[in-house]
Amino acid sequence: MLSTYASPQANTKQQRYNVLLQQIRDIVYNENDLVANLGNIAAILHQGMNFSWTGFYFVKDGGLLLGPFQGPAARTRIQKEEGICGTAFAKECTVMVEDVEEYVGHISLSEYDKSEIAVPAYSKGEVSLILNINSHYLHNFTELDKRNLQQVMHLIEEVL
């Protein structure tokens, strides 16, 4: 049975990520359906780290198309360079925003979202998927989050 909660011994953020990364490895290595895996990965990250929105956008037709996610309803399509996800897609790199109110062009899902991170995954040398996470807390994402979420995307890249 999948557990989406870090163990009581996982007190630090890195310890929680370690537990979640192992759960994600187990999913990726034991199931080959990408959509099913992304759904479970979104749930694991969302619940395990208490994010306000956690989901994936597929690269499709030159833009981004909503995939599996956890949280309130989201924008279905995002154009390249639009918002934080579109910027991560266009620049082909992780984009971390400490205060979304200061980000020109931010696409708001909720008035309560304060910070956001978008992490790309690559297939055949091109961005093919974006992991997008929102938080209700300012400055919630750090280099530790960036490193761990990039590890998640590297695991996913193995099966893209």
Side-chain angles (χ1 to χ4, degrees):
M1 180 176 167
L2 280 177
S3 168
T4 57
Y5 299 98
S7 70
Q9 296 83 16
N11 295 323
T12 69
K13 198 178 220 186
Q14 183 59 60
Q15 289 171 327
R16 286 184 292 164
Y17 271 121
N18 291 344
V19 170
L20 300 177
L21 281 164
Q22 185 54 54
Q23 292 173 351
I24 292 166
R25 273 186 207 91
D26 291 344
I27 287 169
V28 169
Y29 296 148
N30 291 301
E31 175 55 57
N32 63 7
D33 186 90
L34 179 62
V35 172
N37 286 346
L38 295 178
N40 277 326
I41 291 166
I44 286 169
L45 290 170
H46 189 75
Q47 292 177 5
M49 298 305 288
N50 197 32
F51 296 131
S52 61
W53 195 91
T54 308
F56 294 93
Y57 280 91
F58 295 104
V59 172
K60 186 170 183 169
D61 301 327
L64 298 172
L65 177 66
L66 182 64
F69 70 93
Q70 296 281 306
R75 181 110 169 247
T76 304
R77 293 188 183 269
I78 298 174
Q79 297 304 310
K80 195 171 193 175
E81 298 182 5
E82 183 182 24
I84 295 163
C85 287
T87 299
F89 175 32
K91 292 186 174 184
E92 300 183 2
C93 66
T94 298
V95 176
M96 196 166 44
V97 177
E98 295 179 335
D99 182 349
V100 296
E101 294 292 324
E102 295 179 1
Y103 190 88
V104 176
H106 174 251
I107 299 169
S108 179
L109 290 177
S110 164
E111 64 185 276
Y112 303 110
D113 287 337
K114 303 297 182 200
S115 58
E116 184 171 344
I117 188 168
V119 185
Y122 304 86
S123 176
K124 300 177 184 167
E126 294 185 3
V127 174
S128 61
L129 185 71
I130 299 286
L131 168 62
N132 182 229
I133 301 175
N134 295 337
S135 172
H136 288 170
Y137 303 102
L138 285 169
H139 308 280
N140 192 57
F141 300 106
T142 66
E143 287 299 315
L144 182 136
D145 295 285
K146 180 179 175 181
R147 276 192 316 274
N148 282 282
L149 295 171
Q150 285 174 333
Q151 280 188 286
V152 168
M153 295 307 270
H154 290 312
L155 287 168
I156 293 169
E157 286 171 346
E158 293 180 27
V159 295
L160 286 178

